[in-house]
Amino acid sequence: MNFDILMNIGLDIMGGDFAPLEAIIGVSQYLSENNNAAHLTLVGEEAQIKDLFRELNISQNNITIVHAEQVIDMHESPTKALKEKQRSSISIGFHLLASGKTDAFISAGNTGAMLVGALFSIKAIEGVLRPTISSVIPKENGKTGLILDVGLNADCKPEQLNQFAVMGSVYAQQILGIDNPRVALLNVGEEEGKGNILAQSTYPLLKENKHINFIGNIEGRDILLDVADVVVCEGFTGNVILKLAESLYEISERQNLAHEYFDRFNFEIYGGTPVLGVAKPVIIGHGISHARAFKNMITLAQKMIEKDVMSKMKKELES
Amino acid sequence: MNFDILMNIGLDIMGGDFAPLEAIIGVSQYLSENNNAAHLTLVGEEAQIKDLFRELNISQNNITIVHAEQVIDMHESPTKALKEKQRSSISIGFHLLASGKTDAFISAGNTGAMLVGALFSIKAIEGVLRPTISSVIPKENGKTGLILDVGLNADCKPEQLNQFAVMGSVYAQQILGIDNPRVALLNVGEEEGKGNILAQSTYPLLKENKHINFIGNIEGRDILLDVADVVVCEGFTGNVILKLAESLYEISERQNLAHEYFDRFNFEIYGGTPVLGVAKPVIIGHGISHARAFKNMITLAQKMIEKDVMSKMKKELES
């Protein structure tokens, strides 16, 4: 195995409902569409991977295969599975990441195991109270925003939301390309002082925070409008919103809406969900990920490394 | 003024963006479409009301007009306005309700003033920890569910959510006509033990509650599906969901979707939001209420009185 490459992205080839086939097609698409492709380390059943490469007639240039004889299933208990299946693709993927062999790790496998792995295998960025996961939001006017946390932290403290605001702001700027992103606190009313205890206590912190462009509270009706670029909330509400939004795409499909805007609620087109606040990019894909999602996740990991998003978050958080 | 009528429904004729005109058209529609109409007590600017009755050629049978020289505007501070504007239509409306002159009170005016009025002018049902407000949810399959709380209680205790489940269940049964309604806890995962501290602590109470048909946790993706009839959550998440759902109708209109399902996110068709857990029906309309919403709110108030929903809630809560 040769790890002496500048950028090396690890990918769990066994994770997801349509793995390994769709993962490998995604890899192939990524490699053929990028002149400046990163080296990829594919973790999974070696023989199966090699067979698919032959069948699909894909070159193994720029590819390292690391054999993993186990797979963590979608419904296994994350902590137990990570402990007991140390030869699983997710365990090995995190081991490669933690030891510096890879610079990022991607999987569409067991979400819980990916979260637990991200939290415990690699370090949090110095000063980060809690890492977070975010989701893009398709805006009605065609733009794309960010909402966080969407489920990693069901209970939050104001100081955590304040850090999510900074991390989301850096991500929106570096990855979504939004200049001076407008950060808003999700709330039940517009005025300062509204909301539950958490929102009431978070507002003053955001207002005082010099590292973000805080525009105040927004309400549920503003989420899909172009009112704010980064929407901050605890992971309970954020998770409910994200899953509700995902269901809109399914409904639009079943109802044959065939509408451009509702098509953008197909979250697969955005790839996966990065874990923010950990020292290296970890990207979690949907179980239903197809080739496009895998390709987009690899591209996202590359962009996060190239833009050095983690260092920028660290800098904004510490000063 | 003659209050010696069996059922007497109070209506703030000055509340809402299109009042008093749309309120009075709604009254007229209600009276003409009901053989068994309740007596209505209209509170507002007497001369203006009488002029409109003449202009629209509506009979004043079954109508009592109570003059109110003040109006609480949409953006006034609720507590301050109720204290200082005791001759306002909302203040007088609650006074009539509290003194037994009317059996229900409806307004599309200042929402905060309606909530404060409901909490402090009339009593809570014995044993109720906190009243709640709910919203119907249009299900993709054509059915209608209920979600509560949707904003009255931004912070909740498990015992409160447990009561919301009972009140929502009675309402779904009596008003929405759902037999043995399936009650679910909104959460970030399906299994018992998932969620934030509130959801984790609420689950066992709901599971033990003999007065409801508890089916477990549901996630954001299930809200618009026919998985549960009554969805229980704290008022922060519920409010965000409701306002997001309302925005879907506006988006569908702007995008010319013209789709039957998305048309059902026009919450005006359901009338208003009843405050549950107070001793008498109080119904809060949207600011943008048109005639149909006013008619539907009067019909809802009548149904709540006829079905004696409040007594049924009391019975379920105490035994």
Side-chain angles (χ1 to χ4, degrees):
Chain A
M1 284 186 281
N2 169 24
F3 288 110
D4 298 320
I5 312 284
L6 192 57
M7 191 194 299
N8 192 326
I9 296 173
L11 174 65
D12 170 14
I13 223 74
M14 311 307 284
D17 300 345
F18 309 112
L21 178 63
E22 291 287 327
I24 288 178
I25 299 175
V27 165
S28 151
Q29 289 177 355
Y30 166 77
L31 292 173
S32 66
E33 291 174 18
N34 276 279
N35 295 325
N36 188 27
H39 186 93
L40 302 182
T41 296
L42 311 185
V43 190
E45 180 61 52
E46 188 169 10
Q48 222 179 334
I49 296 172
K50 285 188 168 163
D51 282 352
L52 280 167
F53 267 81
R54 259 192 304 274
E55 273 176 42
L56 297 167
N57 201 18
I58 310 170
S59 142
Q60 286 188 37
N61 277 350
N62 249 352
I63 297 282
T64 303
I65 298 172
V66 175
H67 178 63
E69 62 203 51
Q70 294 174 309
V71 175
I72 296 179
D73 294 327
M74 295 307 255
H75 295 290
E76 286 188 73
S77 154
T79 317
K80 192 159 168 273
L82 281 173
K83 202 173 160 189
E84 292 176 2
K85 290 189 169 173
Q86 302 212 0
R87 297 298 308 158
S88 65
S89 51
I90 289 182
S91 294
I92 292 176
F94 275 115
H95 181 74
L96 293 168
L97 185 65
S99 61
K101 298 285 193 297
T102 55
D103 306 302
F105 182 50
I106 300 164
S107 174
N110 186 306
T111 303
M114 283 299 289
L115 291 173
V116 173
L119 296 180
F120 297 105
S121 298
I122 56 168
K123 285 184 183 161
I125 293 174
E126 211 184 307
V128 165
L129 299 167
R130 284 283 297 178
T132 174
I133 52 175
S134 64
S135 172
V136 294
I137 310 170
K139 306 280 186 177
E140 190 192 354
N141 70 350
K143 290 190 183 172
T144 301
L146 194 76
I147 184 167
L148 74 172
D149 183 277
V150 292
L152 188 51
N153 305 284
D155 286 295
C156 286
K157 295 191 167 63
E159 294 74 20
Q160 292 167 347
L161 293 192
N162 195 27
Q163 289 198 337
F164 298 168
V166 174
M167 292 192 275
S169 198
V170 171
Y171 188 86
Q173 205 158 8
Q174 298 298 324
I175 303 298
L176 304 180
I178 301 168
D179 267 346
N180 197 26
R182 296 159 298 172
V183 176
L185 178 64
L186 186 61
N187 209 330
V188 297
E190 286 180 3
E191 303 86 3
E192 181 170 358
K194 287 273 181 180
N196 55 13
I197 294 171
L198 175 64
Q200 287 175 21
S201 318
T202 303
Y203 192 105
L205 300 185
L206 295 173
K207 201 175 160 187
E208 290 300 312
N209 190 331
K210 300 271 184 290
H211 299 270
I212 56 169
N213 171 20
F214 181 56
I215 62 159
N217 292 323
I218 66 161
E219 300 181 60
R221 67 169 63 92
D222 305 313
I223 294 172
L224 303 178
L225 306 184
D226 190 22
V227 177
D229 300 303
V230 176
V231 177
V232 176
C233 60
E234 30 66 38
F236 188 90
T237 306
N239 183 270
V240 169
I241 292 169
L242 174 60
K243 288 177 179 163
L244 179 60
E246 287 175 347
S247 78
L248 288 178
Y249 175 67
E250 290 157 27
I251 289 171
S252 84
E253 277 218 309
R254 282 194 296 266
Q255 300 291 328
N256 293 311
L257 273 196
H259 189 283
E260 199 186 349
Y261 180 52
F262 286 89
D263 287 348
R264 291 176 58 225
F265 285 90
N266 175 6
F267 283 82
E268 209 192 336
I269 61 182
Y270 308 106
T273 304
V275 182
L276 303 181
V278 289
K280 291 177 179 183
V282 172
I283 298 171
I284 307 175
H286 277 253
I288 53 151
S289 289
H290 289 91
R292 177 161 66 160
F294 285 102
K295 183 192 75 177
N296 289 342
M297 287 193 282
I298 303 169
T299 308
L300 173 58
Q302 179 173 3
K303 199 169 178 183
M304 287 178 75
I305 298 168
E306 282 171 353
K307 296 269 186 179
D308 203 7
V309 170
M310 278 40 188
S311 300
K312 282 170 184 145
M313 283 183 186
K314 181 167 182 281
K315 195 170 156 249
E316 291 298 319
L317 285 168
E318 72 193 357
S319 54
Chain B
M1 285 186 280
N2 169 24
F3 289 110
D4 298 321
I5 311 285
L6 191 57
M7 191 193 300
N8 191 325
I9 297 173
L11 174 66
D12 170 13
I13 222 73
M14 311 307 283
D17 300 344
F18 308 112
L21 178 64
E22 291 287 328
I24 288 176
I25 298 176
V27 164
S28 152
Q29 288 177 355
Y30 166 77
L31 292 173
S32 65
E33 290 174 18
N34 275 278
N35 294 325
N36 187 28
H39 186 92
L40 302 181
T41 296
L42 312 184
V43 189
E45 181 61 51
E46 188 168 12
Q48 222 180 333
I49 297 172
K50 285 187 169 164
D51 282 352
L52 280 168
F53 268 81
R54 257 191 306 273
E55 273 175 42
L56 297 167
N57 202 18
I58 311 170
S59 142
Q60 286 188 35
N61 277 349
N62 249 350
I63 297 282
T64 303
I65 298 171
V66 175
H67 179 61
E69 63 204 49
Q70 293 174 311
V71 175
I72 297 179
D73 294 326
M74 295 307 256
H75 295 290
E76 285 189 73
S77 152
T79 318
K80 192 161 168 272
L82 281 173
K83 203 172 160 189
E84 291 175 2
K85 290 190 168 173
Q86 302 214 358
R87 297 298 308 160
S88 66
S89 50
I90 289 182
S91 294
I92 292 175
F94 274 116
H95 181 75
L96 293 168
L97 185 65
S99 62
K101 299 285 193 295
T102 54
D103 306 301
F105 181 50
I106 299 163
S107 174
N110 186 306
T111 303
M114 283 300 288
L115 291 173
V116 173
L119 297 179
F120 297 105
S121 298
I122 57 169
K123 285 184 183 160
I125 293 173
E126 211 184 306
V128 165
L129 299 167
R130 283 283 297 177
T132 175
I133 53 175
S134 63
S135 173
V136 293
I137 309 170
K139 306 281 186 176
E140 191 192 353
N141 70 350
K143 292 189 182 172
T144 301
L146 194 75
I147 184 167
L148 74 173
D149 182 276
V150 292
L152 187 50
N153 305 285
D155 287 294
C156 286
K157 294 191 166 63
E159 295 74 19
Q160 292 166 347
L161 293 191
N162 196 26
Q163 289 197 338
F164 298 167
V166 173
M167 292 192 275
S169 198
V170 170
Y171 187 86
Q173 206 157 7
Q174 298 298 322
I175 302 297
L176 304 180
I178 302 168
D179 267 348
N180 197 27
R182 296 159 298 173
V183 176
L185 178 65
L186 186 61
N187 209 330
V188 297
E190 286 181 2
E191 304 85 4
E192 182 170 358
K194 287 273 180 181
N196 56 12
I197 295 171
L198 176 64
Q200 288 176 19
S201 317
T202 303
Y203 192 104
L205 300 184
L206 295 173
K207 200 175 160 186
E208 290 299 312
N209 190 331
K210 301 271 185 289
H211 298 271
I212 57 168
N213 171 20
F214 181 56
I215 61 159
N217 291 325
I218 66 163
E219 300 181 63
R221 67 169 63 92
D222 306 312
I223 294 173
L224 303 178
L225 307 183
D226 190 22
V227 177
D229 301 302
V230 176
V231 176
V232 176
C233 60
E234 30 66 38
F236 188 90
T237 305
N239 184 269
V240 169
I241 293 169
L242 173 60
K243 287 176 180 164
L244 179 61
E246 287 174 349
S247 78
L248 289 177
Y249 174 66
E250 288 157 30
I251 289 171
S252 84
E253 277 217 307
R254 281 194 296 266
Q255 299 291 330
N256 293 311
L257 274 197
H259 189 283
E260 199 186 351
Y261 180 51
F262 287 89
D263 286 349
R264 291 174 59 224
F265 286 88
N266 174 6
F267 283 82
E268 209 192 336
I269 61 182
Y270 308 106
T273 304
V275 182
L276 303 181
V278 289
K280 291 178 179 183
V282 173
I283 297 171
I284 306 176
H286 277 253
I288 53 150
S289 291
H290 288 92
R292 177 161 66 160
F294 284 102
K295 182 192 76 178
N296 290 342
M297 287 194 280
I298 303 170
T299 308
L300 174 58
Q302 178 174 2
K303 199 169 177 183
M304 288 178 75
I305 298 168
E306 281 171 355
K307 296 269 187 176
D308 203 6
V309 170
M310 278 40 187
S311 300
K312 283 170 183 145
M313 284 183 186
K314 182 167 182 281
K315 196 169 155 250
E316 291 298 320
L317 285 168
E318 74 193 356
S319 54

